[in-house]
Amino acid sequence: MKLTSCFLPEGRLLRTLENQAACATADALAHAQSEGTVVEGMALLCDENHDLLVRVGPFTGRIPREETALGISDGSTRDIAILSRVGKPVCFCITALEGHSGRITPLLSRRRAQEQALKSILSWPSGQVIPATVTHLEPFGAFVDVGCGVPSMIGVERLSVSRISHPRDRFRVGQEIYAAVLETDRTAGRVILTHRELLGTWLENAALFRPGMTVPGWARGVKDYGTFVELTPNLSGLAECREGVRDGDRVSVYIKSILPDRMKLKLLIIDALPPEEGPEPPIYFITNGNLARWRYAPEGCLKSGGETIFHS
């Protein structure tokens, strides 16, 4: 795969054979410079001028402050975006090779790589399934890298069908995930993403279980009339109240019945389970291609469920 054929989240190229070859020698760096190839290295430190020093194969390259990210030069991106890259992979284009053979210092531009990536990203059609990497979590959503450090966000309501109180119930920072393009805004230069559609419909998730099974789940809503228990991010059922169970608790549940025509699971909480460190990786039913329409509920179901129309 030619490195410029796609723009992946930072860290995905670092250890590929193509990337290692592009950084191996001065001649390889010169070729990457002439081709405008996007390559990756590891950010070693940020100096007092907020330039990034980067390991590029056997060389140490430098990204001047104004070239470290889109928006740094005009102030729309804060310097914390530079500082937070230390110790992490960064993408860049090579703009110059300073010095002589054996003592070369590559001059790099992450901003230029991000400009190329953003141009490609804004051409993505609605419904396109893409890889992404979680960069940080806020109560209202998960921020992700969709290519070369270009950021996007998935709103908390679009992470899954099952409701959660915070994106940390679903993701951890650094996690590699998939998402789907909901729409692009070329004027604002941003892409809006969704995630829940890739986690399957009600029937696809319910097919993983059978009445009579006892399985682990998570309490996602404790009400007077019962407790909603999540079996998968896109599948929940109602259990009878059990004293001491709180939102977010991990529990084991007995599946009493599965009712597709009503999109219901009847559950019985058996016991409390010890908490796990971080959320489990999601099970994806879709990891590539382009979506046109997604409907959560089974055909003919008395309940409507969620539906997404991806506009071309």
Side-chain angles (χ1 to χ4, degrees):
M1 179 187 71
K2 188 177 180 181
L3 294 180
T4 51
S5 64
C6 61
F7 300 94
L8 295 173
E10 286 181 310
R12 307 283 183 101
L13 290 178
L14 187 63
R15 292 178 176 83
T16 64
L17 294 177
E18 295 88 352
N19 190 71
Q20 291 173 356
C23 302
T25 66
D27 286 344
L29 291 176
H31 180 72
Q33 178 186 355
S34 66
E35 292 289 310
T37 304
V38 173
V39 291
E40 282 192 353
M42 185 66 72
L44 300 173
L45 62 87
C46 181
D47 68 15
E48 67 277 12
N49 298 315
H50 287 187
D51 293 353
L52 279 178
L53 298 188
V54 181
R55 183 184 297 117
V56 186
F59 308 99
T60 299
R62 181 171 63 88
I63 308 179
R65 175 185 175 275
E66 64 273 13
E67 297 296 323
T68 53
L70 283 171
I72 288 292
S73 59
D74 64 16
S76 60
T77 298
R78 296 184 300 162
D79 277 20
I80 187 64
I82 309 173
L83 310 183
S84 64
R85 296 315 303 169
V86 173
K88 300 175 183 177
V90 290
C91 67
F92 48 81
C93 292
I94 299 165
T95 59
L97 297 175
E98 298 179 333
H100 302 284
S101 182
R103 300 282 301 178
I104 286 176
T105 299
L107 194 62
L108 316 171
S109 174
R110 183 168 177 254
R111 177 193 58 80
R112 187 175 298 184
Q114 289 183 336
E115 285 178 342
Q116 293 184 32
L118 184 59
K119 183 179 179 180
S120 175
I121 288 165
L122 293 177
S123 70
W124 287 343
S126 177
Q128 178 68 48
V129 179
I130 62 163
T133 299
V134 178
T135 56
H136 64 283
L137 304 171
E138 297 289 348
F140 50 84
F143 286 86
V144 298
D145 172 359
V146 292
C148 293
V150 174
S152 184
M153 191 196 75
I154 310 172
V156 65
E157 75 283 356
R158 289 203 164 267
L159 294 181
S160 61
V161 172
S162 179
R163 295 181 180 180
I164 52 176
S165 59
H166 195 284
R168 62 172 169 259
D169 295 333
R170 198 63 71 219
F171 295 146
R172 57 177 174 77
V173 172
Q175 185 174 350
E176 296 182 357
I177 65 169
Y178 293 95
V181 176
L182 196 60
E183 62 179 291
T184 55
D185 184 338
R186 297 193 179 194
T187 302
R190 63 174 183 162
V191 59
I192 302 168
L193 302 177
T194 186
H195 181 260
R196 62 178 187 167
E197 293 82 359
L198 309 183
L199 302 179
T201 64
W202 190 92
L203 279 180
E204 287 172 329
N205 281 271
L208 303 173
F209 306 97
R210 297 183 303 277
M213 294 175 68
T214 299
V215 297
W218 290 260
R220 295 299 188 202
V222 178
K223 309 295 183 183
D224 293 339
Y225 52 85
T227 299
F228 289 97
V229 179
E230 172 192 306
L231 303 188
T232 73
N234 272 13
L235 186 70
S236 297
L238 186 64
E240 298 173 8
C241 291
R242 181 184 173 97
E243 187 176 352
V245 173
R246 298 174 297 177
D247 280 352
D249 284 354
R250 188 165 173 261
V251 296
S252 60
V253 292
Y254 174 79
I255 302 175
K256 297 164 65 176
S257 62
I258 300 176
L259 308 171
D261 60 329
R262 298 166 60 191
M263 211 161 59
K264 282 190 175 182
L265 281 80
K266 293 185 178 181
L267 309 173
L268 178 67
I269 296 175
I270 301 298
D271 204 357
L273 296 176
E276 292 187 334
E277 292 187 9
E280 292 186 354
I283 297 173
Y284 288 103
F285 288 84
I286 301 171
T287 57
N288 55 62
N290 191 279
L291 304 176
R293 175 178 178 266
W294 176 84
R295 187 173 188 270
Y296 179 66
E299 292 295 334
C301 179
L302 301 177
K303 298 176 67 176
S304 61
E307 183 174 12
T308 305
I309 305 295
F310 295 92
H311 299 284
S312 59

